[in-house]
Amino acid sequence: MAIVLAIETSCDETAVAVVNDRVCCSSVVASQIPIHQKYGGIVPEVASRCHVETLNDAIAQALAEANIDWEAIDGVAATCAPGLVGALLVGFTAAKSLALVRNKPFLGVHHLEGHIYASYLSELDLEPPFICLLVSGGHTSLIYVKDCGYYETLGETRDDAAGEAFDKVARLLQLGYPGGPIIDKLAKEGNPLAFPLPEGKVSLAGGGYHPYDSSFSGLKTAVLRLVQKLQQEHSQLPVNDLAASFQETVAKALTKRAIACALNYGVNTIAVGGGVAANSGLRSHLQAAAKERHLRVIFPPLKYCTDNAAMIGCAAADHLNRGHTSPLTLGVQSRLSLTKVMQLYQHESAG
Ligand code: KG4
Ligand code: ZN
């Protein structure tokens, strides 16, 4: 059993949580969305400054809500990669300092491993192996989860992440930021079959298509061309139909690839993570396809799908239980492959 105080500041949420293995004792998330909204996207320098301003209060609040004092805490963790370097540094430096001052083990956590662990917070019986479909503003990955710290990325996007595609299409339809929730809402009023759009297959050098990789930049361009054409023909854009058709294309593409991974790797569970897990089109397509194939599909509660520190704490607790801790010389990295997670830790036995 390990109780961990975890900090997540890799992007635009200042988040702090206290987690006891798979049980979330408190989870504070201070979103910066309203601040970035006026710029139409995240401004890295603004994000870092907001983290500095918000973090101390968030730590105090997380400790108070968990009703826990420092003696009971077994370790301090923070996201160390991937993410915006300036933003990561704020939470990471705070966590290191707290670990040093309170004489607790320190753990750097890979942000995507955190997203994988969001499923453990809601499904207490979940055990690897399973497939994680991670779809957020920065990532679109299909991950084969073998064990704590051991992952294989089976599929990725070759260009835009799924959430980024939602945000960009929303911007070109002048719907505001973040685009995913707005497109999802409008799509409910539209016809998903109104406009056929390309799903973004990735060609292989030897012919055929990559079974798990995706590409959303062509889809975004196809929506742009369609919008330009429709603007010439009509005085008013059929925004609901455009939103529904775009969402349908993304949802079907992700579902097809996730199901293929599960079947080809012989696992019976698909766990979804990241902000796009909120998408109603993805939920209904994936749930229906999984049911047909007798697969279990897990959509953790939204509070654990979008960026939060509970998922970071849950991953850190599992590592800590296995004797994994990070050296205080560890740094932050803007990019880091999931296959390198174990490089973040030294084993207890190694001294
Ligand atoms: O996981 P997340 O909170 O942050 C990271 O990117 O790590 O994901 C944010 C992304 C944004 O691109 C947002 O537009 C998208 O998730 N999103 C959605 C929905 N809600 C949030 N995309 C589609 N449908 C939604 N309902
Ligand atoms: Zn994330």
Side-chain angles (χ1 to χ4, degrees), residues 100-176:
L100 194 64
V101 169
R102 300 285 178 178
N103 198 22
K104 305 283 179 187
F106 168 70
L107 295 98
V109 177
H110 193 293
H111 183 75
L112 301 194
E113 187 177 40
H115 274 299
I116 293 167
Y117 270 76
S119 295
Y120 292 112
L121 283 169
S122 61
E123 304 293 317
L124 299 182
D125 66 335
L126 177 65
E127 293 298 337
F130 61 90
I131 298 292
C132 178
L133 168 63
L134 179 52
V135 273
S136 69
H139 303 277
T140 300
S141 303
L142 275 157
I143 302 155
Y144 180 36
V145 180
K146 298 176 191 171
D147 199 357
C148 173
Y150 295 94
Y151 309 99
E152 195 182 330
T153 302
L154 306 178
E156 280 179 304
T157 173
R158 294 292 178 100
D159 37 60
D160 295 346
E164 193 181 355
F166 272 93
D167 294 337
K168 286 182 175 172
V169 166
R171 194 180 307 162
L172 75 87
L173 293 173
Q174 298 184 338
L175 299 173

Side-chain angles (χ1 to χ4, degrees), residues 8 10-11 111-112 115 134 136-139 274-275 305-308 311:
E8 151 64 44
S10 68
C11 194
H111 183 75
L112 301 194
H115 274 299
L134 179 52
S136 69
H139 303 277
C305 285
T306 52
D307 283 355
N308 67 90
M311 66 185 194

Side-chain angles (χ1 to χ4, degrees), residues 77-295:
T79 309
C80 62
L84 303 169
V85 166
L88 281 168
L89 266 175
V90 179
F92 190 73
T93 311
K96 268 193 193 177
S97 311
L98 286 169
L100 194 64
V101 169
R102 300 285 178 178
N103 198 22
K104 305 283 179 187
F106 168 70
L107 295 98
V109 177
H110 193 293
H111 183 75
L112 301 194
E113 187 177 40
H115 274 299
I116 293 167
Y117 270 76
S119 295
Y120 292 112
L121 283 169
S122 61
E123 304 293 317
L124 299 182
D125 66 335
L126 177 65
E127 293 298 337
F130 61 90
I131 298 292
C132 178
L133 168 63
L134 179 52
V135 273
S136 69
H139 303 277
T140 300
S141 303
L142 275 157
I143 302 155
Y144 180 36
V145 180
K146 298 176 191 171
D147 199 357
C148 173
Y150 295 94
Y151 309 99
E152 195 182 330
T153 302
L154 306 178
E156 280 179 304
T157 173
R158 294 292 178 100
D159 37 60
D160 295 346
E164 193 181 355
F166 272 93
D167 294 337
K168 286 182 175 172
V169 166
R171 194 180 307 162
L172 75 87
L173 293 173
Q174 298 184 338
L175 299 173
Y177 171 86
I182 309 167
I183 291 194
D184 199 355
K185 190 162 166 254
L186 297 179
K188 292 196 172 85
E189 310 297 324
N191 173 8
L193 306 176
F195 303 107
L197 292 163
E199 79 168 53
K201 291 182 187 164
V202 174
S203 306
L204 291 171
Y209 298 102
H210 194 291
Y212 317 126
D213 276 357
S214 39
S215 158
F216 294 113
S217 114
L219 169 59
K220 176 197 65 196
T221 310
V223 176
L224 175 65
R225 300 267 178 274
L226 181 60
V227 166
Q228 287 167 339
K229 184 172 156 275
L230 290 168
Q231 270 167 340
Q232 284 170 357
E233 293 166 3
H234 307 273
S235 57
Q236 220 182 344
L237 269 183
V239 178
N240 295 351
D241 285 350
L242 283 165
S245 302
F246 166 75
Q247 177 168 300
E248 176 82 356
T249 310
V250 176
K252 274 188 174 166
L254 293 172
T255 296
K256 188 166 100 182
R257 287 158 180 73
I259 298 283
C261 279
L263 296 179
N264 294 344
Y265 280 76
V267 300
N268 60 11
T269 304
I270 300 169
V272 190
V276 184
N279 187 261
S280 58
L282 176 63
R283 282 177 178 247
S284 61
H285 275 289
L286 190 54
Q287 265 154 352
K291 196 172 169 202
E292 220 171 82
R293 304 290 192 147
H294 306 288
L295 299 170

